[in-house]
């Protein structure tokens, strides 16, 4: 049991004990519905605060402000900070916003985003239950690759986001996300297919959905990666498809 699970279990124990004591008539504790609701709300603290940091995503977004820390600021329409649950067990990290994301200010809403949504649903989760963000928060001109100075300027914010959410699992989509988070230059084809330790979480590198759109034959490899993730997250695996002929 990790620290977060231990804290949540302790809160659960306190609530159940008070409920029990209230039922058998003990006095001196606040066993009222209102009191128990307050204890319930302790569970809603950001996961990061249980791990000793007290930053919220709102504070980090506030610090980012109308960011001018790198040259991408001049060409962007919107900063794409991230979207999803601040209490997610699983965070997907992509490369950087594309045309649609820049326009809408939301991550993974274009064609690659639609494929990512299908992948998330295929593992039994929803976009709302996970968190989705990128290595860089502004669109590079013409969707070129992020440059080292842009990654250096932006990645402290990503690291703060990951600390605040404190997910148990991170899925790095594509080589930029995997290489940045794992501090390596190894190619994604060599990195994928296993879990790594990263910021207190287990990190799974896999191919980027935009790469899958261009190379659909690699979907099988991503599905193998997703099954590994589902097993580690203890999510129900789909029934193997038998020969129905
Ligand atoms: N590709 C990414 O890496 N991130 C997005 O948000 C969209 C496309």
């Amino acid at each position: 049991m990790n620290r977060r699970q231990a804290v949540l279990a302790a809160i659960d124990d306190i609530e159940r004990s008070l409920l029990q004591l209230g039922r058998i008539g003990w006095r001196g504790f606040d066993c009222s519905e209102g009191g128990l609701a307050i204890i319930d709300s302790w569970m809603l603290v950001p996961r990061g605060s249980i791990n000793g940091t007290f930053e919220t995503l709102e504070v980090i977004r506030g610090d980012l402000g109308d960011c001018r820390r790198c040259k991408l600021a001049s060409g962007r329409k919107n900063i794409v900070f991230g979207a999803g649950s601040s209490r997610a067990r699983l965070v997907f990290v992509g490369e950087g916003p594309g045309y649609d994301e820049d326009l809408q200010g939301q991550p993974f809403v274009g064609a690659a985003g639609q494929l990512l949504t299908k992948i998330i649903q295929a593992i039994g989760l929803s976009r709302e239950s996970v968190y989705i963000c990128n290595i860089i928060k502004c669109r590079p001109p013409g969707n070129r690759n992020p440059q080292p100075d842009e990654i250096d300027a932006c990645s402290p914010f990503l690291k703060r986001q990951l600390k605040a959410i404190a997910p148990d699992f991170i899925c790095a989509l594509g080589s930029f996300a995997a290489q940045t988070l794992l501090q390596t230059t190894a190619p994604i084809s060599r990195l994928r297919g296993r879990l790594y330790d990263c910021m207190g979480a287990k990190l799974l590198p896999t191919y980027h959905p935009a790469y899958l759109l261009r190379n659909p034959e690699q979907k099988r490899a991503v599905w193998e990666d997703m099954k590994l993730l589902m097993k580690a997250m203890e999510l129900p695996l789909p029934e193997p498809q038998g020969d129905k002929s």
Side-chain angles (χ1 to χ4, degrees), residues 80 94-98 101 106-110 112-113 132-134 173 208 210:
V80 180
E95 184 176 312
E101 291 77 20
Q106 295 295 324
F108 281 98
V109 288
I132 306 174
C133 56
N134 285 300
L173 300 166
H208 193 288

Side-chain angles (χ1 to χ4, degrees), residues 11-180:
I11 294 172
D12 206 37
D13 273 354
I14 293 170
E15 193 180 0
R16 269 191 289 117
S17 305
L18 283 179
L19 192 62
Q20 200 60 30
L21 292 174
R23 279 198 191 123
I24 60 172
W26 278 46
R27 295 291 168 262
F29 303 102
D30 184 2
C31 306
S32 66
E33 266 188 34
L36 295 175
I38 291 171
I39 295 172
D40 236 3
S41 73
W42 295 350
M43 302 250 195
L44 298 178
V45 292
R47 293 164 59 104
S49 64
I50 293 171
N51 287 352
T53 64
F54 292 91
E55 275 206 316
T56 62
L57 292 174
E58 288 75 20
V59 167
I60 301 164
R61 179 65 190 90
D63 279 358
L64 187 61
D66 181 32
C67 185
R68 306 266 145 205
R69 292 170 183 82
C70 84
K71 56 189 179 300
L72 294 179
S74 60
R76 69 154 186 255
K77 289 197 169 50
N78 284 295
I79 292 178
V80 180
F81 182 67
S85 169
S86 58
R87 298 171 39 74
R89 277 183 79 206
L90 170 62
V91 174
F92 287 88
V93 181
E95 184 176 312
Y99 176 85
D100 295 291
E101 291 77 20
D102 180 47
L103 218 54
Q104 297 183 40
Q106 295 295 324
F108 281 98
V109 288
Q114 284 165 23
L115 181 51
L116 178 61
T117 304
K118 283 191 189 156
I119 293 171
I120 293 169
Q121 288 167 347
I123 62 172
L125 300 175
S126 64
R127 277 183 74 110
E128 294 70 34
S129 68
V130 302
Y131 192 80
I132 306 174
C133 56
N134 285 300
I135 293 289
I136 56 165
K137 307 209 175 325
C138 297
R139 182 190 180 210
N143 294 344
R144 66 157 168 74
N145 289 338
Q147 293 175 349
D149 59 315
E150 296 157 2
I151 295 177
D152 287 350
C154 220
S155 56
F157 289 93
L158 172 67
K159 296 212 173 109
R160 284 169 66 186
Q161 284 172 291
L162 291 173
K163 266 195 174 176
I165 300 168
D168 296 324
F169 296 91
I170 299 169
C171 181
L173 300 166
S175 54
F176 278 95
Q179 290 174 351
T180 304

Side-chain angles (χ1 to χ4, degrees), residues 192-209:
R192 61 154 290 272
R194 55 161 284 213
L195 294 163
Y196 299 78
D197 290 314
C198 174
M199 298 184 65
K202 290 285 174 200
L203 181 144
L204 175 82
T206 195
Y207 291 123
H208 193 288

